[in-house]
Amino acid sequence: MTGAKKKKKSMLWGKMHTPQCEDIIQWCRRRLPILDWAPHYNLKENLLPDTVSGIMLAVQQVTQGLAFAVLSSVHPVFGLYGSLFPAIIYAIFGMGRHVATGTFALTSLISANAVERIVPQNIQNLTTPSNTSVLGLSDFEMQRIHVAVAVSFLGGVIQVAMFVLQLGSATFVVTEPVISAMTTGAATHVVTSQVKYLLGMKMPYISGPLGFFYIYAYVFENIKSVRLEALLLSLLSIVVLVLVKELNEQFKRKIKVVLPVDLVLIIAASFACYCTNMENTYGLEVVGHIPQGIPSPRAPPMNILSAVITEAFGVALVGYVASLALAQGSAKKFKYSIDDNQEFLAHGLSNIVSSFFFCIPSAAAMGRTAGLYSTGAKTQVACLISCIFVLIVIYAIGPLLYWLPMCVLASIIVVGLKGMLIQFRDLKKYWNVDKIDWGIWVSTYVFTICFAANVGLLFGVVCTIAIVIGRFPRAMTLSIKNMKEMEFKVKTEMDSETLQQVKIISINNPLVFLNAKKFYTDLMNIIQKENSCNQPLDDISKCEQNTLLNSLSNGNCNEEVSQSCPNEKCSLILDCSGFTFFDYSGVSMLVEVYMDCKGRSVDVLLAHCTASLIKGMTYYGNLDSEKPIFFESVSAAISHIHSNKNLSKLSDHSEV
């Protein structure tokens, strides 16, 4: 007999845990979104707009890759690698169809802190060739990229760990004002980091708390070292970029292909710098030597992971939050859905895999995503096409970028941050809608400016949670039900006396430790308000109202009234349909209300209760097992009260 039971259990266990073929297919489609949309790709309708968008995106990827690599304190060529591999990985695992993953200003700033701390700047030539190094770069450059790669690898591991823990559902605490303020503050930091290139100044690396202000203090102290040629070229580049981009935006419906002003400016500036020898004549800083090809993959250095854990957490959180906001925005705009946890996996794998190919930390960027919107991209095929052109640059065109002035590259980056910087306009919206959100925006922006993007993000989240905890207990938890509406639903004939005895109250919020006491207060206040509106017709109705009110307010009935109607009982129905969740404090408060009312001859009935609530209340308190307490609906509870009243009347007649 025992052997048969064991055999039966093993068979059931096998049936429960043996994966079916359909389950495997569904899992693959869920974790590899490319398998979901690629088979249904419409070549005729989508290939042309995706190709055009891919070409335009490649221009942005190349320019931003070069600039953000410099921002990350590594050689510019590593920014080209960071524009290639993360985009491929995200196209396979990501769900955002219009999200362009690659190098990102915020993550570059964070990783630069680790690079400058572990491998500080010195006076050696950064492009000194070495026969023992990768791509002929100096050992100094390789040491720096190893630190950035370690940050990328560990940041990706943290993101994948968050995916395993299913923490994507917890991103609701990162509200829109926090994201807007954090990204705006980070964009301000990026603009500040480009000031030395825009002005043609030599400036040491400045970071840390209040580093934003120290940079501008250094600029004003050394204002005489500004190169007029670099300043004029920067102003000219910014004016041309802004003007042409505005014209493209204004006439995008009339012209099928927008002018790639970034590409035109790069070609024109590089050609002019080459012909006039600006590097030697005017002392302008240029990009310099760009090695050809992609080096063989190499594992990230594991011995320095413990030294970059702070920056890795910053890269993981800031990069994910900014990318998720863009993915959610594109999903809302084009009517499709994304999985927050899947985005953790996609960006985590993008950072982990790319770190083996000397890539700096990656994330989605607002400028590139907006570019995909404006050029009519349909799917991630646009990003894959852009990768083809980035490969062409890496293997063929890269060396020609030697003469690109850094001031022009900085101008392209500053103009590309326009989408983030104009988020200052959100302040008016927040002020008119909710001044508390306005305060959160301002304080988060100030913390981001004074410290860093990850500190500002953490402050914004903590501030939001603290405000919610402060406001939640004061939120309205209850509301009175319409008696006439409920009378119609029951479809039974009830006299006015019965209606006077029943009060139906709906629970509108979760019942937890934050608002358990407020629940009791709201319950009493609603009953007081309702009783004050109802004018009693006779002594019986007075007794019924006072019995319910005083029982909940721990008061005593007037002796004269209680003597006139000692046998009358009132009923309180709590509609739990809006009762989303609860904790131990909430259950204990419900049981306390029930027991208190029971001791004062007030029946409490609960409708629309979940099985977990019934189990919790039954386990916590000694509820009356002889009388039903939980009902499927409010109508069923009223019918129960009506039937009990009829039975009591019959018993009274029989006694007479």
Side-chain angles (χ1 to χ4, degrees):
M1 192 71 178
T2 305
K5 286 184 178 180
K6 288 183 178 180
K7 185 175 181 182
K8 186 176 181 180
K9 287 183 179 180
S10 63
M11 291 176 63
L12 291 173
W13 184 266
K15 289 181 180 179
M16 290 173 59
H17 293 269
T18 301
Q20 302 295 326
C21 182
E22 295 181 358
D23 297 335
I24 297 175
I25 294 175
Q26 289 295 328
W27 185 88
C28 291
R29 293 182 66 179
R30 191 168 64 252
R31 297 305 170 211
L32 297 170
I34 192 172
L35 300 178
D36 192 28
W37 60 263
H40 308 288
Y41 186 78
N42 192 325
L43 289 173
K44 187 176 181 180
E45 294 182 3
N46 298 337
L47 184 59
L48 181 59
D50 280 343
T51 302
V52 174
S53 299
I55 296 173
M56 301 301 297
L57 177 61
V59 176
Q60 289 181 300
Q61 290 277 35
V62 170
T63 55
Q64 292 183 0
L66 295 172
F68 293 157
V70 175
L71 187 61
S72 191
S73 299
V74 298
H75 193 277
V77 71
F78 299 116
L80 296 179
Y81 305 153
S83 300
L84 174 65
F85 293 102
I88 297 174
I89 302 300
Y90 184 84
I92 298 173
F93 293 94
M95 299 187 71
R97 301 174 192 172
H98 300 81
V99 174
T101 303
T103 55
F104 187 41
L106 277 64
T107 55
S108 296
L109 274 176
I110 295 172
S111 65
N113 293 332
V115 172
E116 294 289 346
R117 186 182 74 252
I118 298 175
V119 188
Q121 181 70 45
N122 53 38
I123 60 173
Q124 65 175 318
N125 188 355
L126 302 185
T127 58
T128 301
S130 173
N131 295 329
T132 61
S133 188
V134 178
L135 296 175
L137 297 177
S138 64
D139 293 334
F140 174 76
E141 283 294 348
M142 296 311 301
Q143 292 175 7
R144 289 201 147 195
I145 189 58
H146 284 157
V147 176
V149 161
V151 174
S152 178
F153 175 79
L154 188 55
V157 170
I158 293 172
Q159 289 174 330
V160 172
M162 291 179 176
F163 159 75
V164 174
L165 297 174
Q166 298 291 292
L167 295 182
S169 57
T171 54
F172 68 91
V173 298
V174 187
T175 60
E176 181 181 338
V178 173
I179 297 175
S180 175
M182 184 269 293
T183 53
T184 306
T188 309
H189 271 296
V190 175
V191 171
T192 302
S193 68
Q194 300 298 306
V195 166
K196 62 180 180 180
Y197 299 116
L198 295 173
L199 302 179
M201 296 179 61
K202 297 291 185 181
M203 184 186 302
Y205 181 79
I206 301 175
S207 64
L210 304 180
F212 173 85
F213 302 100
Y214 291 139
I215 291 175
Y216 285 104
Y218 182 90
V219 170
F220 285 111
E221 289 175 359
N222 299 272
I223 196 69
K224 294 182 180 180
S225 63
V226 173
R227 293 188 179 274
L228 185 60
E229 297 83 3
L231 177 60
L232 293 176
L233 187 56
S234 300
L235 292 175
L236 179 62
S237 301
I238 291 174
V239 170
V240 171
L241 288 169
V242 172
L243 182 61
V244 176
K245 285 180 181 291
E246 288 296 325
L247 291 175
N248 283 338
E249 186 68 22
Q250 188 173 356
F251 297 101
K252 66 180 180 180
R253 295 183 178 179
K254 297 182 180 180
I255 55 177
K256 295 183 178 180
V257 180
V258 297
L259 178 65
V261 61
D262 295 354
L263 178 61
V264 173
L265 182 62
I266 288 174
I267 295 174
S270 300
F271 183 75
C273 184
Y274 172 76
C275 293
T276 59
N277 195 18
M278 291 183 182
E279 181 183 14
N280 298 321
T281 305
Y282 302 106
L284 289 183
E285 187 176 356
V286 296
V287 171
H289 173 64
I290 303 293
Q292 286 182 307
I294 299 176
S296 301
R298 182 180 298 180
M302 301 297 173
N303 58 329
I304 61 173
L305 293 183
S306 59
V308 299
I309 190 169
T310 303
E311 289 80 9
F313 267 103
V315 164
L317 296 178
V318 173
Y320 172 76
V321 168
S323 302
L324 181 64
L326 294 175
Q328 290 175 337
S330 65
K332 184 177 180 180
K333 183 180 180 68
F334 296 99
K335 311 298 181 184
Y336 62 89
S337 60
I338 62 169
D339 182 358
D340 295 351
N341 283 306
Q342 180 64 25
E343 291 298 293
F344 259 132
L345 177 64
H347 289 288
L349 291 178
S350 295
N351 280 314
I352 292 175
V353 176
S354 301
S355 65
F356 286 82
F357 294 91
F358 301 95
C359 296
I360 60 178
S362 64
M366 181 179 291
R368 297 194 297 266
T369 302
L372 291 178
Y373 290 169
S374 61
T375 53
K378 302 296 183 182
T379 64
Q380 278 290 328
V381 171
C383 296
L384 295 176
I385 292 175
S386 72
C387 293
I388 297 175
F389 289 93
V390 173
L391 271 175
I392 295 174
V393 172
I394 292 174
Y395 279 96
I397 305 177
L400 300 179
L401 297 174
Y402 179 98
W403 299 100
L404 176 62
M406 289 299 299
C407 60
V408 175
L409 191 59
S411 301
I412 295 174
I413 297 307
V414 170
V415 175
L417 294 171
K418 174 189 172 185
M420 291 185 181
L421 294 174
I422 62 175
Q423 291 180 131
F424 278 108
R425 297 185 300 187
D426 293 343
L427 284 172
K428 182 179 179 181
K429 174 180 66 176
Y430 296 130
W431 179 264
N432 293 327
V433 175
D434 186 3
K435 292 179 175 57
I436 292 180
D437 280 341
W438 182 89
I440 291 175
W441 197 103
V442 173
S443 57
T444 302
Y445 177 80
V446 170
F447 263 76
T448 304
I449 289 297
C450 293
F451 300 98
N454 51 347
V455 177
L457 177 63
L458 180 61
F459 171 81
V461 171
V462 172
C463 187
T464 301
I465 294 174
I467 289 175
V468 169
I469 292 175
R471 297 171 76 180
F472 192 78
R474 296 192 294 270
M476 191 65 181
T477 58
L478 303 169
S479 63
I480 196 75
K481 280 285 186 179
N482 191 325
M483 299 301 298
K484 294 182 179 179
E485 178 184 350
M486 298 313 302
E487 179 185 7
F488 175 77
K489 288 183 178 180
V490 176
K491 296 182 179 179
T492 57
E493 294 182 358
M494 296 185 182
D495 52 17
S496 59
E497 183 181 351
T498 304
L499 288 179
Q500 289 285 340
Q501 292 183 18
V502 179
K503 295 222 178 286
I504 306 171
I505 295 179
S506 176
I507 303 176
N508 300 326
N509 275 332
L511 191 57
V512 294
F513 70 97
L514 293 173
N515 65 341
K517 293 182 179 179
K518 185 67 166 51
F519 166 80
Y520 193 92
T521 305
D522 284 349
L523 188 64
M524 185 171 60
N525 290 339
I526 288 178
I527 295 170
Q528 287 176 342
K529 182 179 179 180
E530 185 68 15
N531 286 340
S532 64
C533 296
N534 295 332
Q535 296 296 330
L537 299 177
D538 49 25
D539 291 340
I540 295 177
S541 61
K542 288 181 181 179
C543 179
E544 290 164 354
Q545 292 175 1
N546 290 333
T547 301
L548 180 59
L549 173 61
N550 292 332
S551 65
L552 291 176
S553 58
N554 295 323
N556 296 318
C557 271
N558 184 279
E559 292 181 0
E560 296 179 357
V561 177
S562 61
Q563 290 175 0
S564 64
C565 49
N567 296 325
E568 291 293 333
K569 294 188 67 176
C570 298
S571 299
L572 174 66
I573 299 177
L574 296 179
D575 181 7
C576 301
S577 57
F579 198 169
T580 53
F581 65 90
F582 56 89
D583 63 359
Y584 184 86
S585 300
V587 172
S588 64
M589 182 58 68
L590 277 177
V591 174
E592 181 180 346
V593 168
Y594 172 82
M595 300 302 293
D596 185 60
C597 293
K598 179 183 177 183
R600 291 167 174 81
S601 300
V602 177
D603 291 333
V604 177
L605 294 80
L606 285 80
H608 299 290
C609 296
T610 61
S612 58
L613 178 61
I614 296 173
K615 181 180 178 181
M617 289 189 66
T618 305
Y619 181 82
Y620 181 88
N622 296 322
L623 304 181
D624 193 350
S625 59
E626 296 179 0
K627 296 181 180 179
I629 301 170
F630 308 101
F631 295 87
E632 294 180 357
S633 64
V634 176
S635 301
I638 294 179
S639 299
H640 172 75
I641 295 170
H642 184 56
S643 61
N644 282 350
K645 185 170 182 62
N646 290 337
L647 289 174
S648 63
K649 286 182 178 180
L650 289 174
S651 62
D652 291 341
H653 286 301
S654 63
E655 290 176 2
V656 173

